[in-house]
Amino acid sequence: YDIDSKILTKISSDTKKDGGPSLIFDHQMVMDSNHQCIYVLGGKHIHIPLASGQDSADPSSSSSIPSPSSPASPFSQRFLLNSSSDTYSGMYRYDIASGTWTL
């Protein structure tokens, strides 16, 4: 977000394809303004089984991923609340100047 221009910039449509974390929730982000880097820490991977048997931790593998915003949605009931199969992300660093991710 650029405070002066009040413009929010989308850095990626698919961070996993760009070398960053896959679709996650319950994570933390920290901005290092001195080094112009964003750190993404932890988080739980969202795995949505698809009809074809693919794992949708890659959000581009399906064009119809349900929205988690509705508390009554099948998505929240089947996936967000299923802590027995949680897998966790690591720590990623996004360099703003180069637009690159590192683990």
Side-chain angles (χ1 to χ4, degrees), residues 23 45-51 53-59 61-62 64-68 75 78-79:
L23 187 59
H45 290 278
I46 297 176
H47 298 281
I48 304 168
L50 303 175
Q54 296 174 317
D55 177 12
S56 70
D58 175 0
S61 66
S62 172
S64 61
I65 293 175
S67 170
F75 178 84
R78 289 184 58 205
F79 302 103

